[in-house]
Amino acid sequence: MTIREIIFEATQKLEEAGIPSARLDVEVLLAFLLRCDRLALIKNPDNTLSEKQSADFGRLIARRAGGEPAAYITGRKAFWSFALDVDPGVLIPRPDTEVIVEEALAVLRQESWSHPRILDVGTGSGAIALALACETPGASITATDISEAALETAKKNAAALKAEQIVFLRGNLFEPVDGRFDLIVSNPPYIGADEYQSLPPGVKNFEPEEALRAGQTGLEFYKKLIDQSYGHLAENGWLLLEIGARQKQEVCAIFEAHKNFYEHIAVRADYAGFPRVIKGRRR
Ligand code: SAM
Ligand code: GLN
């Protein structure tokens, strides 16, 4: 079969299975199998696949049709200006999370600290910490996670990107952390109990529950992070939190309840227009 034919057929299969990004995923998986990039596929639609390649591709498509995310099948996910190793022990980094990176860089530019101390709580694959490390070579960065599996993947990613200024620590929220930081960032778990049940099967059945679930309401990490960050921020230090699309009011209310501790509270939207990042500066 030619590349054109196999892409057409596999896209139909994924569409029938209800996979939303069918065509893109087919191209990503075929490029992974053939060890080329997607552009090479588009440029050479008449190249043919061997029987073994077709059979191997059929197995990849069957996994995707069963809901397994393409990033777990290939073991890679593009984020910011690089690609990260991912596996079922870590959340697949989302494009929305690039907004907290942009906002953190804006704060760093505005404050122009010469050697900012940055903390990423719940680093997962290391996505946020690594993007900040790449863009801010003078920063010292601490990244934590409660999951040993996540930290191992994050450390591998840091080694591959030669991000030597990141220290990785395991533990519950601030428990493993000493000292104060100029900037604390976190994309914590924020899915409540009811919403968790209604997540798409590709998320619920494959991504780590520990990375997504936050108690009954989805707000439990915000209470703890806003409360406890105060004791770990340097004077005029900033706290930046990613939030779910419908959590703006609730998380703003938690900041409001701490208004003796934070000022300049502001919300930033993502590129779909949903509120996505809340920030506040330590008084
Ligand atoms: N920062 C990554 C990103 O944006 O792609 C991962 C975010 S994921 C939504 C939340 C992360 O927090 C997971 O890696 C999870 O293991 C970690 N986590 C969950 N509970 C935690 C806790 N009590 N203390 C520290 N990290 C925790
Ligand atoms: N954005 C993730 C989702 O699509 C949730 C990430 C989180 O809980 N921080 O489900």
Side-chain angles (χ1 to χ4, degrees), residues 13-84:
K13 250 188 213 143
L14 291 192
E15 278 170 355
E16 278 160 25
I19 304 296
S21 49
R23 168 74 191 237
L24 173 66
D25 287 355
V26 165
E27 290 178 8
V28 165
L29 292 171
L30 188 55
F32 166 70
L33 180 81
L34 301 178
R35 297 195 178 81
C36 65
D37 58 34
R38 278 173 50 219
L39 197 60
L41 299 176
I42 319 268
K43 279 192 183 155
N44 303 291
D46 297 317
N47 284 7
T48 53
L49 271 72
S50 70
E51 239 165 73
K52 169 155 191 335
Q53 284 171 328
S54 300
D56 288 346
F57 190 57
R59 279 188 283 276
L60 298 184
I61 290 299
R63 284 169 67 183
R64 183 68 191 103
E68 188 173 350
Y72 287 153
I73 300 175
T74 64
R76 298 285 278 174
K77 177 69 185 178
F79 183 81
W80 199 248
S81 58
F82 40 74
L84 294 169

Side-chain angles (χ1 to χ4, degrees), residues 4-22:
R4 181 189 289 112
E5 286 163 347
I6 207 154
I7 288 179
F8 182 77
E9 193 174 279
T11 301
Q12 269 190 327
K13 250 188 213 143
L14 291 192
E15 278 170 355
E16 278 160 25
I19 304 296
S21 49

